[in-house]
Amino acid sequence: MGTRLAGKTALVTGATSNIGRAIAVAYGAEGAHVVVSGRDQRRGAEVIAEIVAAGGRADFVAAALDGSAKASGDLAAEATRILGGRIDVLVNNAGIYPGSSTVSTDETTFDTVYAVNVKAPYFLTAAIAPGMAERGSGVIINLGSWIARLGIPIGSLYSSTKGAVETLTRAWAAEYGPAGVRVNAISPGVILTPDMSANEDHPAQVMMRGTPAGGSGSPDAIAHAAVYLASEESRFVQGTVIDVDGGRVGVAVIAG
């Protein structure tokens, strides 16, 4: 067990798989009491068991963040209750990615993706940040994406939502920073999922060829950055988007 987040409380959305799960497990390993939030009770129980087995403390709260202020507010209230009246760290990780083109995206899909990826974290932050500001401390970490700043042919809808999240990061830093609340974001590159691990020709894997890292990253890479941003080590970091993408955005990729 580490101590970088000892005595802290944290809420991580979309924490039952991949990046969210890795962040929740890392927070538990560093001493935080973590509320793991997601849709799937079974997967949530697995994450809780992993954290507890390592000596951490965690609880699961089921939530379908549909973009409504009520859904976000209900999650904020229940997490606050479980965590003893305060949330020190909020990680807005939950999101959905439809790999559709602009023409093939219907209005229902458009509204759903914006509801989950933008409205849900917006209203969750609105429910939690004022309490942080009143106490004079808190951390909010948003999950952006490398394709918010580097266009790809498929994914205009998703990339626009992540662009919105990165803009909100700066706006919230200006709004809540003077009250002691640090707001930053992490922009992951291509992160391995189970279906990608066994397929080196997966389109996402191919997009990382030629980068300084030479391939896709692991969820743990994002979790390490999330621990840093939640800890006192980053107390002078405000309104920043940290690229954890193997150099995909910042370095020229030479096809070969």
Side-chain angles (χ1 to χ4, degrees):
M1 287 282 293
T3 60
R4 294 164 76 188
L5 302 179
K8 299 292 186 181
T9 62
L11 167 61
V12 183
T13 69
T16 59
S17 65
N18 210 35
I19 289 174
R21 178 172 184 154
I23 292 173
V25 169
Y27 280 8
E30 289 293 341
H33 180 183
V34 185
V35 163
V36 172
S37 178
R39 296 172 181 267
D40 192 308
Q41 180 80 41
R42 179 187 59 80
R43 292 197 303 179
E46 291 174 355
V47 181
I48 299 301
E50 183 177 354
I51 293 172
V52 171
R57 185 180 179 193
D59 294 277
F60 177 72
V61 176
L65 294 175
D66 58 8
S68 67
K70 183 180 187 306
S72 292
D74 287 348
L75 172 58
E78 181 62 7
T80 299
R81 183 190 69 79
I82 289 174
L83 295 172
R86 77 178 200 279
I87 296 172
D88 295 316
V89 182
L90 166 64
V91 180
N92 286 312
N93 168 72
I96 53 177
Y97 175 78
S100 53
S101 66
T102 300
V103 173
S104 65
T105 299
D106 58 38
E107 187 174 5
T108 298
T109 300
F110 185 100
D111 290 344
T112 299
V113 175
Y114 260 85
V116 175
N117 292 6
V118 181
K119 287 183 67 180
Y122 187 96
F123 287 115
L124 189 57
T125 299
I128 293 173
M132 293 179 171
E134 185 176 343
R135 292 190 303 274
S137 67
V139 173
I140 298 171
I141 301 169
N142 300 317
L143 269 293
S145 173
W146 66 278
I147 65 171
R149 277 167 290 131
L150 185 65
I152 63 173
I154 298 295
S156 59
L157 176 58
Y158 177 80
S159 63
S160 70
T161 66
K162 289 304 182 179
V165 166
E166 293 189 4
T167 296
L168 285 171
T169 298
R170 292 182 284 271
W172 286 335
E175 185 174 358
Y176 294 108
V181 182
R182 293 190 294 104
V183 187
N184 293 289
I186 300 170
S187 178
V190 176
I191 301 300
L192 285 172
T193 58
D195 65 304
M196 289 166 52
S197 299
N199 181 9
E200 293 185 358
D201 293 323
H202 189 286
Q205 293 267 54
V206 171
M207 283 191 286
M208 289 300 293
R209 292 176 185 170
T211 62
S216 303
S218 70
D220 286 345
I222 310 305
H224 291 316
V227 169
Y228 165 70
L229 287 176
S231 74
E232 287 301 305
E233 297 163 10
S234 63
R235 59 186 174 275
F236 201 54
V237 181
Q238 304 262 8
T240 293
V241 179
I242 296 180
D243 293 319
V244 186
D245 63 1
R248 187 61 182 83
V249 169
V251 181
V253 175
I254 308 301

